[in-house]
């Protein structure tokens, strides 16, 4: 129970940090934070759907598809993280919280903050949603850090978003993803200084499930 509480605290922090980076620095310039963020921007552009709800809807749909590979424990944690992120996007989606207007400054700072939040989530064995679900599955199968597959998966969404809204968004989105995935890998590969930050019941549940499968 103690470990579960610790992990949920970290998932809450990761989700809030991720949402802050999106709402304050990236979304005001229509820069997709990732595959799910790109689709959310398109839904907002086409249907005038609130970004916070569009992000939640895309992430939830992707999560339902991936529950089998993530396992129930990781799926619950991922859904919780997605909800926290969406609520944070809604909370910070006010001009009051946007002190800067330079797109390149916002892109760099927002991408670093985003990657830090996503890295915290992935260290807890849960996904940040969207393409992060697939990236986590690929990383698990190939035993690699999830940054590279996350970057490759999001590229196609960026191209679609840029072709519909504005082509400069493609360059901005790719640069944002490069910075954020570097930060993701940095956080993901950090060796735990204390047992507190990285103890995760979701990873333990997944490993137990894998051992059971091998025995069968």
């Amino acid at each position: 129970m103690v470990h579960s509480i610790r992990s949920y605290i970290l998932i809450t922090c990761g989700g809030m940090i991720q949402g802050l980076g999106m709402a304050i620095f990236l979304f005001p310039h229509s820069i997709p934070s990732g595959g799910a963020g790109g689709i959310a921007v398109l839904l907002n552009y086409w249907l005038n759907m609130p970004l916070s709800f569009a992000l939640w809807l895309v992430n939830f749909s992707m999560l339902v598809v991936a529950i089998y590979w993530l396992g129930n424990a990781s799926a619950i944690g991922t859904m919780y993280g997605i909800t926290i992120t969406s609520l944070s996007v809604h909370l910070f989606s006010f001009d009051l919280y946007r002190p800067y207007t330079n797109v390149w400054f916002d892109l760099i700072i927002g991408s670093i903050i985003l990657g830090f939040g996503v890295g915290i989530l992935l260290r807890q064995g849960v996904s940040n949603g969207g393409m992060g679900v697939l990236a986590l599955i690929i990383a698990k199968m190939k035993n690699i850090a999830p940054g590279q597959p996350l970057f490759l998966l999001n590229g196609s969404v960026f191209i679609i978003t840029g072709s519909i809204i504005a082509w400069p968004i493609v360059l901005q989105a790719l640069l944002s993803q490069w910075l954020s995935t570097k930060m993701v890998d940095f956080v993901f590969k950090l060796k735990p200084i204390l047992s507190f930050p990285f103890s995760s019941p979701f990873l333990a549940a997944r490993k137990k499930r894998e051992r059971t499968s091998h025995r069968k």
Side-chain angles (χ1 to χ4, degrees), residues 2-213:
V2 174
H3 292 306
S4 296
I5 293 172
R6 289 173 176 177
S7 289
Y8 272 106
I9 290 173
L10 286 169
I11 292 169
T12 301
C13 291
M16 291 184 68
I17 292 170
Q18 181 184 202
L20 184 148
M22 292 177 180
I24 297 181
F25 297 100
L26 300 179
F27 282 174
H29 302 289
S30 295
I31 300 173
S33 58
I39 297 173
V41 168
L42 288 175
L43 290 174
N44 174 261
Y45 181 80
W46 284 329
L47 307 174
N48 200 28
M49 184 181 294
L51 282 169
S52 56
F53 178 73
L55 185 65
W56 185 90
L57 181 64
V58 173
N59 282 324
F60 180 79
S61 301
M62 181 64 71
L63 181 61
V64 170
V65 175
I67 282 178
Y68 175 79
W69 289 276
L70 286 172
N72 292 333
S74 289
I76 292 171
T78 298
M79 193 65 242
Y80 175 74
I82 289 169
T83 302
I84 293 296
T85 299
S86 298
L87 290 174
S88 299
V89 169
H90 177 73
L91 176 64
F92 292 112
S93 292
F94 299 100
D95 292 335
L96 175 67
Y97 298 108
R98 296 173 187 162
Y100 307 108
T101 56
N102 183 280
V103 61
W104 297 106
F105 178 86
D106 286 353
L107 185 151
I108 293 171
I109 300 300
S111 300
I112 293 173
I113 293 174
L114 172 69
F116 185 70
V118 174
I120 292 174
L121 294 175
L122 294 177
R123 283 303 300 249
Q124 293 307 302
V126 303
S127 168
N128 62 312
M131 298 302 170
V133 174
L134 300 180
L136 193 59
I137 294 170
I138 294 172
K140 173 187 169 184
M141 293 174 62
K142 295 184 174 293
N143 194 28
I144 59 174
Q148 184 177 1
L150 187 63
F151 178 81
L152 295 174
L153 287 167
N154 287 332
S156 58
V157 177
F158 297 154
I159 293 174
I160 295 172
T161 304
S163 65
I164 293 173
I165 299 178
W167 277 111
I169 291 178
V170 175
L171 176 61
Q172 293 166 356
L174 289 173
L175 177 58
S176 175
Q177 274 297 291
W178 184 80
L179 288 171
S180 63
T181 51
K182 288 295 182 183
M183 192 65 183
V184 167
D185 283 348
F186 173 77
V187 175
F188 191 84
K189 293 176 180 178
L190 277 177
K191 295 184 181 297
I193 299 174
L194 299 172
S195 60
F196 171 82
F198 303 117
S199 57
S200 172
F202 306 114
L203 287 174
R206 182 184 301 166
K207 290 177 181 177
K208 182 178 179 182
R209 183 167 168 263
E210 288 174 352
R211 285 197 299 266
T212 304
S213 299

